[in-house]
Amino acid sequence: NITSYTNVSPAVQTLGVRIISVQGCVGYTTLNIRVLPAPEPNTNPTVLPAVCENATTPGQATIDLTQNQAYILNG
C-alpha cells in the first residue's frame, strides 16, 4: 500500500519493487527514494524594467528574463 509507506532514512533509501505488465509478466528491480528538504524560495528578485507592447503585435511584449537568470536558476 503506497499510502502507508514511511521513509526511515534521512537521505537515500533503496526499495525493492515488483513490476507487473498488462500481460501479467512480473519483473523485479530497485527504486531509490531521495528525500530532500523543501526549497525556500527567495521573494525579492531584481525588478525588471517596464516594457511597452510591440507596435506590430498589439498585446504582446518582449521581456529579457536573462537579467534575472542567476536568481531564476538558483531555485
Side-chain angles (χ1 to χ4, degrees), residues 27-64:
Y28 297 92
T29 189
T30 58
L31 171 71
N32 290 328
I33 293 180
R34 185 177 315 269
V35 178
L36 301 174
E40 295 181 19
N42 295 324
T43 57
N44 59 347
T46 303
V47 177
L48 296 173
V51 295
C52 296
E53 64 184 355
N54 298 330
T56 56
T57 54
Q60 297 181 11
T62 302
I63 300 170
D64 181 9

